[in-house]
Amino acid sequence: MHTIKSATQEPATAVKGTASLRSPVIVRRTASLRSPMALAMMAVAASFVLAQAAVAETVVRIGMTAADIPRTLGQPDQGFEGNRFTGLTMYDALTGWDLSSSDKASVVVPGLATEWAVNPDDKTKWVFKLRPGVKFHDGSPFNADAVVWNVEKVLKQDAPQFDASQVGVTASRMPTLASARKIDDLTVELSTKEPDSFLPINLTNLFMASPSKWQKLYESAPGADAKAKSQAAWAAFAADASGTGPWKMSKFTPRERLEVVKNPEYWDKARVPKVDRMVMLPMPEANARTAALLSGQVDWIEAPAPDAVPQLKQRGFTIYSNEQPHVWPWQFSRIEGSPWNDIRVRKAANLCVDREGMKDGLLAGLMVPATGTFEPGHPWRGKPTFEIKYDKAAAQKLMQEAGYGPSKKLTVKTQTSASGSGQMQPLPMNEYLQQALAECYFDVQLDVIEWNTLFTNWRRGAKDPSANGAHATNVTYAAMDPFFAMVRFLQSSMAPPVSNNWGFINDPKFDALVKKARETFDPKERDAALAELHAASVDDAAFLYVAHDVGPRAMTAKIKGLVQPKSWFVDFSTMSMTP
């Protein structure tokens, strides 16, 4: 982890109601100050000031890269930035991520489930033991009924609480989960469509919302039928959410701000927040975020403008960064007629990008060059034979073999966004690629759209009109688990609308390797199978692999105790805010 700290800090965080501004005691500077009455009044005033200072609310204001507040009803949109800010704050899942270390890999740990095991006789069934004594923010109990209810909100179409708007961002992340069954109040059985050793990891994305709170809203909701009432209930729930997380919703203004306050009754006492209130503000433009931090409008920003990093350091701000399990790619269309169906073209693109030049010249060091989804040393890296590096001559030769050259360029269109979760600096980075690939006989056209629209289009696929004729899509992806890192892109059955195989890759070799890994429950053997899958994907040049994000964020030096893990996510509970 790279952490730069400075002892000085110019912008100050505004704290409401400080005693020095609001003390009701006014004492005139006269000789009477020496009287016993005056001295008593001064003592009262001093004690009032100290009492007010002791209870002053601590507030952290964060500028997000998202253009809107991620959905607050339990299954966030806006990619993993949504999970970071409105998922893991207000909600918990059965399993979670260990975010306590800056140098160890973030691994799956118990959440609302304390333990789990697959049935040795039927590997499509899992038993999860639930954590006792947990309550939702509205005071209702978390139990097996709540788990079943939350599974059915995204899987069971005839359930009153089923919400189609939550399905796309949930079911596509756990595609084999089929049903849930209560065994007793603290035990639940989950069934999958096929043996799936990835299930406990996938479940980190299923957040538990309060069935009791939703039911009350449903009973009082307007609507001509059950479906309309359900939609109205979910809209009301989003405005007054109830999860089990370490933060509780306080104020919510769509498209403007979300405020959450610490949950002093949180079940994990070690993770009760040290800050009283956290305010999240959409700020999709990097320069605007940076200006807001410099002017003291916010205390923390995601993805500062790279060229402003030296100024931020000089002004005393803390810059955090750490390599994340994350890839910034172009995902190729493989439908009929796509120029990327020629492996020579795919390999040429991968050889034509000077990633070190992008890192040092464009991003001020805030990236790690990508030579695949996983780098050497990772257990899932494998031994690919195609070496991804900068070799313009080799790239030009491949393009000439494919029939292209200085007088005959290949037109390729890529859909991207101006900002968004994990997108880093998408416009400057894509313009860099546009210029780099031009030297290898590519004519790159960019279709720039809003981030959440791009993310939605990602699930619709290259065949959908929303692709607007694009031959590639530029959506960053998490590589924390096998499904997120590879399976959802490489397995043919993960094509839209099931999951994120946007380009409709259909390779029997990939399908066989996915099946092998998914059905392998021994960790070491599964790692070996996943390494084989990854090596095959690199050798196929399945993506244009460009960068790994380092999750740069800049903040006031008044924020202490933050851990920047090797993850997309952050545990906001550990931070404190000094006066």
Side-chain angles (χ1 to χ4, degrees):
M1 182 182 74
H2 308 289
T3 304
I4 300 95
K5 295 187 177 181
S6 173
T8 61
Q9 173 63 46
E10 292 188 8
T13 301
V15 179
K16 298 179 180 179
T18 55
S20 59
L21 296 177
R22 298 194 178 184
S23 173
V25 181
I26 301 174
V27 182
R28 294 186 182 275
R29 293 183 177 274
T30 66
S32 62
L33 285 175
R34 298 178 182 177
S35 68
M37 179 63 73
L39 292 173
M41 291 176 67
M42 290 176 65
V44 170
S47 64
F48 183 85
V49 169
L50 291 173
Q52 286 285 77
V55 299
E57 184 181 52
T58 52
V59 182
V60 172
R61 303 158 298 170
I62 300 178
M64 304 181 293
T65 68
D68 194 1
I69 300 294
R71 300 188 79 196
T72 56
L73 74 181
Q75 298 304 141
D77 60 355
Q78 305 280 354
F80 268 8
E81 188 168 28
N83 281 24
R84 183 188 306 137
F85 286 112
T86 66
L88 295 169
T89 50
M90 297 184 289
Y91 298 93
D92 294 306
L94 293 179
T95 55
W97 295 101
D98 181 358
L99 304 174
S100 63
S101 173
S102 62
D103 33 56
K104 296 179 181 177
S106 182
V107 297
V108 170
V109 293
L112 292 176
T114 57
E115 58 182 293
W116 52 88
V118 68
N119 186 326
D121 300 320
D122 182 355
K123 290 187 169 59
T124 65
K125 298 188 183 302
W126 294 74
V127 172
F128 285 76
K129 294 289 186 180
L130 306 182
R131 191 174 298 279
V134 177
K135 292 187 180 296
F136 288 99
H137 297 155
D138 60 296
S140 61
F142 167 76
N143 51 31
D145 289 323
V147 175
V148 173
W149 188 93
N150 276 279
V151 169
E152 293 182 348
K153 77 183 178 187
V154 292
L155 291 186
K156 190 177 180 183
Q157 295 189 21
D158 59 352
Q161 75 273 21
F162 177 78
D163 183 12
S165 74
Q166 298 186 55
V167 172
V169 294
T170 310
S172 63
R173 295 172 174 173
M174 46 179 205
T176 65
L177 182 61
S179 63
R181 180 177 69 86
K182 174 183 176 180
I183 296 177
D184 58 44
D185 278 351
L186 293 176
T187 313
V188 66
E189 180 187 77
L190 300 182
S191 298
T192 56
K193 300 170 187 174
E194 59 189 80
D196 186 0
S197 63
F198 309 156
L199 181 68
I201 308 173
N202 298 162
L203 289 172
T204 59
N205 299 288
L206 180 62
F207 295 111
M208 298 291 147
S210 169
S212 297
K213 179 66 174 285
W214 185 90
Q215 187 62 36
K216 290 179 181 177
L217 294 170
Y218 177 79
E219 289 169 0
S220 60
D225 54 27
K227 184 176 181 180
K229 284 175 67 68
S230 178
Q231 291 175 340
W234 277 117
F237 191 97
D240 187 16
S242 179
T244 64
W247 302 84
K248 300 190 293 186
M249 179 182 282
S250 173
K251 297 178 183 178
F252 176 40
T253 305
R255 296 174 296 280
E256 184 178 320
R257 66 196 291 123
L258 170 66
E259 299 187 23
V260 294
V261 295
K262 71 177 180 181
N263 175 14
E265 306 301 322
Y266 188 55
W267 55 266
D268 185 351
K269 297 307 177 187
R271 292 189 57 233
V272 172
K274 296 178 174 61
V275 169
D276 296 313
R277 182 178 298 268
M278 188 161 61
V279 181
M280 291 161 259
L281 305 162
M283 294 185 175
E285 210 282 315
N287 288 325
R289 285 194 302 277
T290 304
L293 181 63
L294 286 167
S295 66
Q297 296 175 42
V298 296
D299 310 298
W300 162 328
I301 60 171
E302 300 285 282
D307 58 2
V309 169
Q311 181 187 7
L312 289 168
K313 292 178 183 177
Q314 190 202 15
R315 293 277 296 272
F317 291 92
T318 305
I319 310 292
Y320 285 93
S321 69
N322 202 352
E323 183 180 347
Q324 296 182 343
H326 159 281
V327 183
W328 194 100
W330 279 6
Q331 187 175 351
F332 299 133
S333 168
R334 301 296 298 276
I335 65 176
E336 185 177 356
S338 171
W340 299 112
N341 284 332
D342 189 330
I343 191 171
R344 295 170 297 185
V345 172
R346 299 197 302 275
K347 286 187 173 181
N350 273 285
L351 294 172
C352 199
V353 178
D354 181 2
R355 295 164 182 82
E356 292 290 344
M358 175 184 280
K359 172 188 174 183
D360 298 333
L362 180 67
L363 294 177
L366 297 177
M367 67 166 267
V368 173
T371 63
T373 297
F374 307 104
E375 296 308 311
H378 193 285
W380 301 340
R381 168 73 179 186
K383 298 178 181 178
T385 57
F386 174 51
E387 183 182 359
I388 295 176
K389 60 183 179 179
Y390 180 44
D391 189 340
K392 186 168 67 173
Q396 290 174 335
K397 182 180 178 183
L398 284 167
M399 288 296 285
Q400 288 169 338
E401 290 174 1
Y404 304 99
S407 59
K408 184 185 178 183
K409 295 203 169 186
L410 174 61
T411 299
V412 292
K413 184 177 184 179
T414 297
Q415 201 166 72
T416 186
S417 65
S419 65
S421 172
Q423 292 289 91
M424 301 175 68
Q425 306 294 332
L427 285 184
M429 292 172 75
N430 274 293
E431 288 166 355
Y432 183 97
L433 293 182
Q434 191 176 47
Q435 295 175 26
L437 293 176
E439 297 185 15
C440 298
Y441 320 131
F442 289 91
D443 176 16
V444 175
Q445 300 175 358
L446 300 177
D447 181 21
V448 183
I449 60 178
E450 189 272 329
W451 158 241
N452 213 37
T453 304
L454 179 73
F455 190 76
T456 300
N457 292 356
W458 197 31
R459 298 191 297 273
R460 293 174 175 167
K463 296 179 182 178
D464 191 82
S466 64
N468 197 24
H471 306 113
T473 189
N474 171 221
V475 181
T476 58
Y477 64 86
M480 296 179 295
D481 70 76
F483 178 73
F484 268 71
M486 296 184 286
V487 172
R488 59 179 172 158
F489 307 122
L490 301 175
Q491 189 176 23
S492 60
S493 60
M494 293 296 105
V498 176
S499 195
N500 298 115
N501 183 354
W502 179 87
F504 292 84
I505 288 175
N506 188 355
D507 188 327
K509 174 179 59 182
F510 291 156
D511 289 346
L513 289 172
V514 167
K515 187 174 188 293
K516 179 180 178 181
R518 187 169 255 154
E519 295 181 358
T520 301
F521 288 81
D522 176 80
K524 288 186 178 180
E525 292 179 10
R526 184 178 62 192
D527 284 352
L530 291 168
E532 194 177 353
L533 175 62
H534 178 253
S537 68
V538 173
D539 288 342
D540 192 61
F543 294 87
L544 172 52
Y545 302 97
V546 179
H548 300 288
D549 198 359
V550 295
R553 42 184 57 100
M555 63 195 69
T556 169
K558 293 182 178 181
I559 294 176
K560 308 292 185 183
L562 179 72
V563 175
Q564 172 107 346
K566 291 180 177 293
S567 173
W568 281 63
F569 307 126
V570 172
D571 184 358
F572 298 104
S573 297
T574 66
M575 68 177 174
S576 61
M577 183 77 164
T578 60

